[in-house]
Amino acid sequence: MTTPRHADLLLRGGTVVTPGGAERIDVACSGGRIVALGDLAGSWSAGTVLDACGLHVLPGAIDSQVHFREPGLVHKENLEAGTRGAVLGGVTAVFEMPNTQPLTLSAADLQAKLDAARGRAWCDHAFYIGGSAVNAEQLAALENLPGCAGVKVFMGSSFGDLLADEDEVLRRILRHGRRRLAVHAEDEARLRERKALVEACGDVRQHPEWRDVESALRATRRILALAAEAGRRLHVLHVSTAEEMAFLAGHRHRVTVEVTPHHLSLSAPDCYERLGSLAQMNPPVRSQRHQDALWQAIRDGVVDVVGSDHAPHTLQEKARPYPQSPSGMTGVQTLLPLMLDHLHAGRLSLQRLVDLTSAGPARIFGIAGKGRIAVGHDADFSIVDLKARRTIRNEWIASVSGWTPYDGLAVTGWPIHTVVRGCCVVRDEALAGPPMGRPIAFLDSSPAQGAPHD
């Protein structure tokens, strides 16, 4: 009789979503990686056995746009609470944005974030460097530092050295580096011109009128033209308009596209009438016409990624009179529950959901060893119950800010267990710690210290 092989973790009886489809198989994991798939009964034992019967085992969700506010703004959010919310919501890896205080513009800034995450982050993580006039010539080196997710450019809706709204600055940024450049595309000059429209009325329902379709489309057209000059690939974040989607569909050779759960789930004017400034985001939540176009772009294959744009502010800050109220909401913890609910409603298939939340981010950003369930890949899993009914509540939200615009929303589909590199950090919807997050490794850069891929 053959002696069973031993694994660290064995997932038994779940419906496992692999690149080949969904099938009921077992998964054995050792050393943080997947080592076997199939009917493993009798041939494998494990230190930990997780019963996944009745559940779907998805590749770990990757949220490639979060703002965890550390350093400098920790009264809103921090790395521990943000990543804790991530794993409670089934997210196993995140990319964090550079608009902290200080801004993330240098190697020292990046290292400070990596140091702050060590021993505190519940999921794997990487940090963006901000593309700026002050560091443009250093970006080719900075983007390849261990733990760097790439370069993020704010064409609008930012401040100080992080705002890159002039064509010559953008050209300098685009000339230095080769990784895919992530862009917040709103035209700063037009936003400044139009701000008087909302300052006079103080009505948050006018937010989509201030930051109108033309503000987004003009910036998107500009950055695509400049990227074509430089021969550079782009990733356009939180696309919110039908017009942008139609334009981007014709430039798939150069650009990848992100949409957010809030643009897919909320629409104006209803969201502003119900939620006030809690629904205030940049770019704005727009009318149903635009939401319908985003869903059509998902069906047409134009959209590559769903990212949360988790960007918390306190309730006290959000209660300021508009437009002094800041734009932003929590989102990392609700990304997967919302998308599972959309799956239940028939708006997308299970394979498309996996591509948008796991395989897509891994593919377009060149993440090493993540994004699919396959032997040799990281043992990252979002294990979900597609039939579970839950109601999202503020009390469930781990963020320091402590609220969600979806408070009271009933959804179908819920994360039950979360596994990060073979460690079950959430079991039966409860933290099973301790924090095990490490820097993400990329195929286009050097491996981060302590990362699982050397």
Side-chain angles (χ1 to χ4, degrees):
M1 183 175 178
T2 304
T3 302
R5 299 179 66 183
H6 189 77
D8 299 330
L9 173 68
L10 189 60
L11 307 182
R12 284 205 181 279
T15 300
V16 180
V17 181
T18 69
E23 53 185 327
R24 190 171 178 182
I25 55 175
D26 304 324
V27 185
C29 313
S30 285
R33 290 188 174 93
I34 299 166
V35 294
L37 297 166
D39 182 0
L40 307 181
S43 59
W44 284 82
S45 63
T48 301
V49 177
L50 194 60
D51 182 5
C53 289
L55 305 177
H56 279 69
V57 181
L58 313 183
I62 301 166
D63 189 346
S64 52
Q65 188 183 183
V66 302
H67 303 257
F68 284 161
R69 308 299 196 197
E70 185 177 347
L73 300 165
V74 294
H75 67 286
K76 304 172 189 277
E77 188 63 290
N78 63 50
L79 290 165
E80 188 280 327
T83 55
R84 177 161 34 98
V87 297
L88 285 167
V91 171
T92 60
V94 296
F95 292 5
E96 206 270 340
M97 290 295 171
N99 53 337
T100 47
Q101 294 181 0
L103 304 172
T104 315
L105 298 175
S106 69
D109 297 329
L110 174 64
Q111 189 60 52
K113 284 190 170 182
L114 290 166
D115 291 344
R118 188 176 298 117
R120 295 172 60 223
W122 289 84
C123 64
D124 288 353
H125 46 273
F127 299 97
Y128 273 105
I129 289 282
S132 164
V134 303
N135 68 355
E137 282 68 38
Q138 288 79 52
L139 289 174
L142 290 171
E143 71 174 9
N144 284 310
L145 289 172
C148 181
V151 175
K152 163 74 178 289
V153 170
F154 290 83
M155 296 178 69
S157 191
S158 195
F159 53 87
D161 287 338
L162 203 54
L163 181 63
D165 59 336
E166 298 176 0
D167 282 3
E168 188 48 44
V169 172
L170 292 168
R171 285 189 175 97
R172 288 171 54 204
I173 292 169
L174 287 161
R175 282 198 299 266
H176 294 88
R178 63 185 183 86
R179 293 177 70 183
R180 190 176 296 277
L181 191 78
V183 182
H184 178 132
E186 288 185 288
D187 190 86
E188 183 68 14
R190 185 171 175 85
L191 295 179
R192 289 172 181 165
E193 290 169 3
R194 296 176 62 80
K195 191 169 184 180
L197 297 175
V198 294
E199 287 179 325
C201 71
D203 186 348
V204 71
R205 290 175 295 182
Q206 295 302 306
H207 195 57
E209 297 305 315
W210 169 26
R211 312 181 84 95
D212 65 347
V213 170
E214 181 61 24
S215 298
L217 183 60
R218 183 182 296 182
T220 299
R221 288 181 180 275
R222 280 176 59 211
I223 195 65
L224 259 291
L226 294 170
E229 287 180 14
R232 193 74 183 271
R233 299 170 299 159
L234 295 179
H235 181 61
V236 182
L237 298 162
H238 41 50
V239 175
S240 63
T241 72
E243 287 79 358
E244 283 176 285
M245 279 300 183
F247 173 70
L248 292 168
H251 295 81
R252 298 292 291 141
H253 61 290
R254 187 168 306 284
V255 65
T256 52
V257 174
E258 178 201 75
V259 295
T260 70
H262 51 271
H263 288 124
L264 295 172
S265 306
L266 303 173
S267 63
D270 169 72
C271 66
Y272 299 108
E273 292 168 353
R274 288 190 301 107
L275 299 168
S277 62
L278 297 185
Q280 181 186 333
M281 289 290 287
N282 297 335
V285 176
R286 305 187 190 274
S287 68
Q288 190 64 48
R289 174 178 79 87
H290 295 289
Q291 186 186 106
D292 291 345
L294 303 187
W295 279 110
Q296 188 60 50
I298 285 176
R299 289 189 289 272
D300 291 344
V302 176
V303 177
D304 300 274
V305 170
V306 171
S308 73
D309 195 13
H310 174 91
H313 300 283
T314 67
L315 287 172
Q316 291 79 9
E317 290 167 333
K318 293 292 280 185
R320 294 172 188 162
Y322 179 79
Q324 284 75 45
S325 49
S327 293
M329 62 176 66
T330 60
V332 66
Q333 195 168 340
T334 51
L335 183 154
L336 199 54
L338 289 172
M339 295 309 296
L340 290 171
D341 192 58
H342 288 309
L343 169 68
H344 175 75
R347 297 186 182 98
L348 75 171
S349 69
L350 182 59
Q351 285 287 0
R352 188 71 174 111
L353 171 63
V354 166
D355 193 64
L356 292 168
T357 58
S358 300
R363 179 176 62 249
I364 67 174
F365 293 110
I367 302 174
K370 295 188 184 294
R372 61 169 55 194
I373 296 177
V375 171
H377 275 60
D378 285 356
D380 294 344
F381 309 110
S382 306
I383 304 175
V384 303
D385 185 340
L386 297 185
K387 297 179 181 178
R389 293 274 295 171
R390 298 287 189 275
T391 299
I392 297 171
R393 297 289 186 192
N394 284 339
E395 294 76 19
W396 178 63
I397 297 298
S399 170
V400 172
S401 65
W403 65 274
T404 169
Y406 309 106
D407 181 49
L409 178 68
V411 296
T412 301
W414 198 257
I416 305 299
H417 314 296
T418 305
V419 178
V420 177
R421 282 176 291 98
C423 300
C424 191
V425 295
V426 173
R427 188 162 188 168
D428 295 320
E429 304 178 51
L431 287 169
M436 300 291 291
R438 292 182 184 175
I440 295 168
F442 294 88
L443 300 174
D444 283 350
S445 63
S446 303
Q449 183 177 6
H453 299 281
D454 298 320

